[in-house]
Amino acid sequence: MPTSIVTANSMLAIDIGAANTRAVLFDVIEGEYRFVASGIAPSTAESPIRDVSEGARNAIQALQGILKRNLLDVSRNLILPSQPDGSGVDALVVTVSAGPAVRTLVVGLLKDVSLESARRLTESTYTRVIDSVSLGGQRKPEQQIDTILRQRPEMVIIAGGTNGGASRSVQKLLEPIGLASYLLPEEKRPAVLFAGNDQLVDEVKALVGSLASHLHFSSNIRPSLDKEDIPPAESELAQMFIKIRKKQLKGLDVLDLWAGGHTLPTAFATGRMVRFLSNVYGSQKGLLSVDLGASSTVIAAGFKDKSVLKVYPQFGQGENLTGLLNYTSLEDILRWSTLDIPPTAIIDFLHQKALYPATIPATKEDLVIAQSVAKQALFLAMLEARKDFPKDAAFIKPTLTPLFDPIIAGGAALSDASRPGQSLLLLLDSVQPVGISTVILDQNNLMPLLGAAGSVNNILPVHVLETGAFLSVGTVVCPVVTAKYGATILKAKVVYDTGAEANVDLKYGFLEVLPLGSGESGKLTIQPARGVDIGFGPGRGVKNLQINGGALGVVFDGRGRPLDMPSDPVRRRELIKKWDWTLGGG
Amino acid sequence: MLAPVHHVIGLTTIIRERLLPISGNVTARVQQKVTAGEVVAETRWAREHVLLDVARSLGVTPAAADRLIKCQVDDKLAASSEVAVGKGLFPRTVRAPREARVVAVGGGQVLLEVGESKIELRAGFPGTVIQVIPNRGVVIQASGGLVQGVWGNGRIDSGLMVNLMQTPATVLIPDHVDVSLRGSVILGGRIEHLETLQALAELPARGLIASSIVPGLLAKAREMRYPILVTDGIGSISMNSVAYKLLSTNAKREVALNAETFDRYSGSRPEIIIPLPASADPPMPNETETFAPGSQVRMRRAPAMGMVGSIVSIKPGLTTLPSGLRAQAAEVKFENNETLIVPLVNMEVVG
């Protein structure tokens, strides 16, 4: 990389999460941008402080303590730009996921067409759909008005009408929304995003323009019946989300001012980074990022021609946890547990963690419960996200997870696990990857920050990615197979750079590990048994595949896809303990 | 590190805003002494609307309909009164279906507000009005004991507090409830049976202070018409010793129970106020604290969840916990003389 394109500018990135606020410094070292250090402090969106800038200042202060360099002045304002004495930074970017999910009303002409597209659009940021309205609905206009007044949506997303198509129907849908907004006090009026028929812009302005807190337009997310185009609207929605958050979260306007408007929703910034990386990697396989945070679980996937961003507040590990049982059963959470835990302990855990999202497991039993809950939440999020993965993605079987490489995992539940093996088992069980993938742990939760940084400096993410800011867990090999427990399903060999070899016979139902440390590389040869697919077709292997090492090395997951778990709970717990032990557990 | 604070205070100055959900008429005045049940503001709110499509009913264009509509915004209409009359030999008439107020007219339509109901805002606890917030409500100041809770069913009331807890771990069962408790606020311990909630509703009780409630009863608890406040958590948790001591020693006093729902963003928390006389204004509670040796702390998570202890020392750097996680931690000594290493994020300062 020529150094001439590196401007010697330092950049501070702040992520305001539901539980924690992180301040991360990127700076130029030896002609390249590097992740320097990060400081962390509890977020202060909530009472009694209710000012997110305080948590940000505290995180910067923690960072100052590590750097032994002043970033804040005596009034605790950020020193911008950097000074000759080395204090301050040259730029700031901010990402935010803190705050309750935005109450959203979705409006579409046809239930299965534009309404469904509008619903999919809401899943690209931190929203909770409180109601939906379509032409086929049974409610009278006055009932729609009463519902809006009762539920007080903070955001309305309107889709519908193909470009050049009929306009009268869309107008009919907008009337009750305009009337309801008119009846709401001005400070309670919702922000409106119109992502429908391009030719209706003037009419939408006339009908709801003066009655919305903000009115945004994006290109039609359903330009024709058989075509959906969500990404441009995602960008508009991200801007709208930040405007709503600036109203809700005191102090965000100050941070946004310091950042010169470079404030993004955390999930959107992650999505940007995934799009960027999938362009860089340019592989036939997809690229997957999962983030298991307190406010939500975020799945971002990049494919050859499409990216998918899914934000699931209902699967977050914080205040929404009490609602998890609306989507799953206790038995399905308990199936991941290595201990015989009474179901009531899970219910109590969900309620207590929802009350105190920032708390962490201090005992082994509490950690087992937390990991079981996290695993089930990520499993459910992946199931949901898979519905919107492109049909032409690289699959071994369309009913399984597509082929991804790499898989990047972040968020407190993953990066705070006590050891990489624990994080990896959580990922293998919930994401259930197939084929051969590199697994990377975003232990400093840099993905969204790099996504935001890229909006100011597009070289910075490239440089930082090439350094050791991310923890490579290793290469995982996950064959697709159904066999008898204990049957050999593949033979594999790793040839190290030293010329030494390590071999493994993988049996169905087992996990195996071959060592290959961080910074090391090797050549992997796999010969699958008949019918076993590792991504090259049934029974077809690979020779001398260049792979890089990681904290765990090369991990072979012979447990079948979908994951084959014994129904007997005692046997299942024994096996999970064994798997955990294989990945470094005690 | 900044510490969350859970207020359990024997005597303090309590200042609370009491606001209408929508604008209305404030009836209290500055310096007025108010009782817990006294109305300080009121308003009217219509829960339903009726949209009359006059143009369609009369078979005319919207513009023509607008000329035929006889009412204006803010007009009050009696049931069956004329809203618009058509033209011709046998003109059709559009009438108000119910008593209503006109809220919008235009485009050949009339939007009516119907089913108006009165909302009364009560003081919630006895004190002095120190500020009037025009059209919204008041700020009330009082002195007394304050115990914050973690869950409330959204109701508010006051009454004489009767202690049915023998220990902080008491489970309140229906057999403990008898007719002599009618009109009382019950200090009741752990709630594990639906029958207990029903028995209190049948009395009726004026309120229930519980240390915990099992998750399966939360939906029913929300339906109860008396306030239910949970001090310590969801599940089966004993009452923290500081709250138990304060509440049990104030039994047979009048208490105000504001079981509003916990909202981490607005800061609203369910709370018990024990009005007490004070010659001068006692100190206000601290809203923020930092963890320090000697701080009285309550555990928010296992092990020892709900227990109160005091910080012996803050551990330098990060400490590896029995779970294997590494975090900033402190050594905490509990009332039973046991000591534990607890991550700071799992504690809150009590005071």
Side-chain angles (χ1 to χ4, degrees):
Chain A
M1 191 68 63
T3 52
S4 60
I5 58 170
V6 174
T7 53
N9 287 345
S10 55
M11 183 183 287
L12 184 69
I14 295 174
D15 176 48
I16 304 161
N20 293 309
T21 297
R22 290 166 198 272
V24 172
L25 183 71
F26 303 107
D27 211 342
V28 179
I29 298 170
E30 294 173 356
E32 294 202 333
Y33 286 102
R34 291 277 189 276
F35 159 68
V36 179
S38 73
I40 186 166
S43 290
T44 48
E46 299 172 7
S47 176
I49 296 176
R50 285 195 273 166
D51 183 336
V52 293
S53 71
E54 270 308 301
R57 287 179 167 102
N58 294 339
I60 298 170
Q61 205 163 331
L63 180 61
Q64 283 185 161
I66 297 165
L67 298 169
K68 310 289 181 216
R69 160 181 165 186
N70 284 340
L71 303 175
L72 296 173
D73 64 17
V74 284
S75 314
R76 301 215 335 137
N77 288 321
L78 186 65
I79 303 169
L80 264 171
S82 61
Q83 302 298 303
D85 64 359
S87 62
V89 290
D90 296 306
L92 172 72
V93 291
V94 178
T95 61
V96 59
S97 61
V102 176
R103 295 194 312 275
T104 304
L105 170 70
V106 290
V107 181
L109 264 187
L110 300 173
K111 195 177 170 203
D112 296 328
V113 187
S114 49
L115 191 65
E116 191 54 23
S117 295
R119 187 197 58 76
R120 271 197 282 274
L121 173 61
T122 65
E123 287 180 347
S124 69
T125 196
Y126 306 90
T127 59
R128 180 165 62 90
V129 174
I130 52 169
D131 203 358
S132 57
V133 175
S134 65
L135 265 191
Q138 299 298 309
R139 280 175 295 183
K140 293 178 185 169
E142 53 258 55
Q143 289 171 320
Q144 288 174 13
I145 292 169
D146 289 337
T147 305
I148 295 169
L149 292 177
R150 200 171 47 249
Q151 299 189 329
R152 296 199 170 183
E154 292 156 315
M155 183 156 76
V156 179
I157 294 180
I158 305 161
T162 54
N163 288 345
S167 61
R168 179 69 199 125
S169 306
V170 178
Q171 287 164 356
K172 202 174 158 191
L173 276 176
L174 290 178
E175 271 174 8
I177 294 160
L179 279 169
S181 297
Y182 164 76
L183 295 175
L184 282 168
E186 210 168 314
E187 70 279 7
K188 301 277 182 195
R189 286 177 183 169
V192 175
L193 172 64
F194 182 76
N197 183 350
D198 289 345
Q199 276 116 54
L200 291 182
V201 168
D202 290 339
E203 277 150 291
V204 173
K205 277 182 187 164
L207 274 167
V208 295
S210 61
L211 302 170
S213 65
H214 312 286
L215 177 60
H216 286 238
F217 293 93
S218 83
S219 56
N220 195 345
I221 55 173
R222 205 70 193 232
S224 63
L225 277 179
D226 55 355
K227 192 177 172 201
E228 186 179 79
D229 182 23
I230 286 183
E234 278 179 5
S235 186
E236 203 60 44
L237 185 60
Q239 285 182 37
M240 205 160 124
F241 173 83
I242 293 298
K243 279 187 186 166
I244 291 172
R245 279 290 187 259
K246 282 207 272 193
K247 269 172 68 180
Q248 292 173 328
L249 302 180
K250 191 182 164 209
L252 186 60
D253 49 353
V254 173
L255 297 175
D256 188 49
L257 195 70
W258 290 353
H262 293 287
T263 303
L264 292 175
T266 306
F268 181 77
T270 302
R272 276 180 66 132
M273 198 58 200
V274 164
R275 276 199 301 277
F276 169 75
L277 287 176
S278 51
N279 288 338
V280 170
Y281 279 81
S283 132
Q284 286 298 310
K285 294 181 187 177
L287 184 145
L288 180 69
S289 159
V290 298
D291 185 315
L292 203 47
S295 61
S296 63
T297 290
V298 177
I299 308 283
F303 301 93
K304 208 168 57 177
D305 304 313
K306 187 182 177 184
S307 60
V308 174
L309 175 61
K310 294 284 165 186
V311 183
Y312 299 112
Q314 68 270 37
F315 302 137
Q317 301 298 290
E319 60 182 293
N320 296 325
L321 264 181
T322 44
L324 185 64
L325 291 177
N326 295 331
Y327 302 90
T328 192
S329 66
L330 283 168
E331 292 71 32
D332 279 347
I333 295 173
L334 281 165
R335 70 185 160 143
W336 306 114
S337 171
T338 50
L339 302 174
D340 184 10
I341 292 166
T344 52
I346 301 283
I347 301 176
D348 291 353
F349 169 87
L350 297 175
H351 283 275
Q352 282 300 122
K353 181 77 165 117
L355 266 179
Y356 305 117
T359 58
I360 59 171
T363 66
K364 278 188 176 165
E365 185 182 274
D366 204 16
L367 182 68
V368 167
I369 296 175
Q371 293 270 306
S372 303
V373 169
K375 224 173 254 194
Q376 184 61 14
L378 184 53
F379 175 80
L380 294 170
M382 273 304 291
L383 274 188
E384 277 300 309
R386 264 170 35 190
K387 293 176 189 167
D388 289 336
F389 287 167
K391 301 285 174 277
D392 60 352
F395 285 100
I396 290 181
K397 271 187 192 172
T399 53
L400 299 175
T401 302
L403 289 158
F404 285 115
D405 190 21
I407 297 171
I408 303 166
L414 281 154
S415 56
D416 288 354
S418 61
R419 55 195 159 76
Q422 206 166 47
S423 304
L424 180 63
L425 192 58
L426 197 160
L427 274 177
L428 290 175
D429 290 349
S430 50
V431 174
Q432 302 193 16
V434 297
I436 302 172
S437 315
T438 312
V439 174
I440 294 164
L441 209 54
D442 183 9
Q443 54 194 348
N444 296 303
N445 294 306
L446 296 182
M447 279 288 280
L449 297 177
L450 291 175
S455 66
V456 178
N457 181 335
N458 54 15
I459 300 299
L460 189 150
V462 180
H463 283 186
V464 174
L465 280 168
E466 288 167 357
T467 64
F470 290 78
L471 175 73
S472 171
V473 179
T475 301
V476 295
V477 179
C478 307
V480 173
V481 57
T482 307
K484 276 189 182 168
Y485 182 78
T488 298
I489 51 176
L490 65 79
K491 291 173 188 294
K493 176 177 79 176
V494 172
V495 180
Y496 299 97
D497 287 344
T498 58
E501 283 184 22
N503 293 280
V504 70
D505 282 5
L506 181 65
K507 294 182 171 60
Y508 188 76
F510 285 73
L511 279 173
E512 298 287 354
V513 178
L514 289 179
L516 186 65
S518 292
E520 294 176 0
S521 59
K523 290 194 166 65
L524 175 67
T525 299
I526 302 174
Q527 183 51 59
R530 182 181 296 177
V532 177
D533 197 336
I534 56 165
F536 302 99
R540 295 178 69 175
V542 63
K543 274 188 182 170
N544 295 324
L545 179 72
Q546 184 74 30
I547 55 166
N548 293 318
L552 288 172
V554 190
V555 177
F556 298 86
D557 184 352
R559 301 176 301 160
R561 292 290 182 267
L563 192 60
D564 195 359
M565 305 265 278
S567 54
D568 172 45
V570 177
R571 170 87 182 118
R572 188 174 62 234
R573 286 196 288 269
E574 270 174 20
L575 267 181
I576 298 172
K577 275 183 197 161
K578 200 169 153 186
W579 296 333
D580 187 43
W581 185 83
T582 306
L583 297 180
Chain B
M1 183 180 165
L2 207 61
V5 182
H6 184 95
H7 292 313
V8 183
I9 309 171
L11 184 62
T12 186
T13 294
I14 301 148
I15 296 177
R16 295 289 179 266
E17 262 183 4
R18 300 281 296 138
L19 299 176
L20 287 165
I22 51 173
S23 70
N25 179 33
V26 179
T27 53
R29 301 175 320 276
V30 173
Q31 291 305 320
Q32 183 180 334
K33 304 254 185 242
V34 288
T35 59
E38 201 163 328
V39 174
V40 290
E42 57 192 16
T43 189
R44 292 186 169 276
W45 187 53
R47 291 178 184 274
E48 284 175 64
H49 293 83
V50 173
L51 187 63
L52 300 176
D53 194 338
V54 176
R56 198 169 173 186
S57 302
L58 299 182
V60 296
T61 64
D66 284 347
R67 289 192 293 273
L68 298 171
I69 292 169
K70 294 178 155 185
C71 53
Q72 294 176 333
V73 171
D74 265 346
D75 281 358
K76 293 205 169 163
L77 305 178
S80 300
S81 56
E82 285 178 354
V83 171
V85 182
K87 290 192 170 169
L89 207 51
F90 303 103
R92 272 185 276 181
T93 304
V94 178
R95 294 177 187 279
R98 296 157 66 181
E99 189 182 325
R101 187 173 74 90
V102 180
V103 290
V105 177
Q109 297 178 320
V110 176
L111 185 65
L112 304 174
E113 201 177 68
V114 297
E116 197 175 70
S117 59
K118 195 174 177 182
I119 298 174
E120 288 181 335
L121 176 72
R122 292 173 197 279
F125 62 99
T128 306
V129 175
I130 58 166
Q131 190 189 341
V132 167
I133 299 166
N135 306 319
R136 289 302 306 277
V138 292
V139 179
I140 301 172
Q141 179 175 328
S143 60
L146 173 67
V147 178
Q148 286 187 323
V150 297
W151 188 88
N153 69 344
R155 299 193 176 272
I156 187 166
D157 210 338
S158 62
L160 198 71
M161 179 167 62
V162 177
N163 182 11
L164 296 185
M165 293 176 74
Q166 285 82 45
T167 70
T170 297
V171 177
L172 184 63
I173 55 171
D175 289 356
H176 293 158
V177 178
D178 65 54
V179 72
S180 69
L181 299 169
R182 176 176 296 163
S184 306
V185 171
I186 311 297
L187 177 58
R190 287 148 57 187
I191 304 299
E192 299 181 352
H193 312 285
L194 174 60
E195 293 75 17
T196 307
L197 297 180
Q198 287 168 336
L200 291 172
E202 280 161 18
L203 283 176
R206 297 283 281 276
L208 168 65
I209 301 166
S211 63
S212 62
I213 185 167
V214 291
L217 293 183
L218 287 174
K220 282 288 172 200
R222 283 191 193 96
E223 288 171 13
M224 294 296 152
R225 299 187 65 80
Y226 57 92
I228 299 174
L229 179 144
V230 176
T231 57
D232 282 76
I234 309 300
S236 288
I237 304 165
S238 301
M239 188 171 286
N240 72 78
S241 58
V242 187
Y244 178 70
K245 209 177 289 171
L246 180 60
L247 290 170
S248 58
T249 54
N250 278 288
K252 298 197 176 153
R253 281 188 192 275
E254 282 283 320
V255 296
L257 201 57
N258 182 358
E260 65 183 330
T261 47
F262 173 51
D263 181 335
R264 63 187 73 250
Y265 298 103
S266 71
S268 68
R269 287 185 74 155
E271 56 189 19
I272 306 153
I273 292 173
I274 309 162
L276 294 170
S279 50
D281 289 346
M284 299 269 293
N286 288 343
E287 289 305 329
T288 58
E289 295 270 2
T290 50
F291 291 115
S295 302
Q296 190 173 43
V297 286
R298 177 179 166 273
M299 304 302 108
R300 292 174 143 193
R301 194 157 172 175
M305 190 165 72
M307 281 175 69
V308 172
S310 67
I311 292 180
V312 178
S313 64
I314 307 280
K315 296 279 171 193
L318 301 179
T319 302
T320 303
L321 306 168
S323 62
L325 301 188
R326 287 166 59 73
Q328 278 186 286
E331 184 182 357
V332 178
K333 188 173 186 181
F334 294 96
E335 286 158 331
N336 59 7
N337 282 330
E338 204 181 315
T339 57
L340 270 178
I341 303 295
V342 183
L344 298 187
V345 289
N346 286 8
M347 298 190 286
E348 59 192 3
V349 169
V350 180

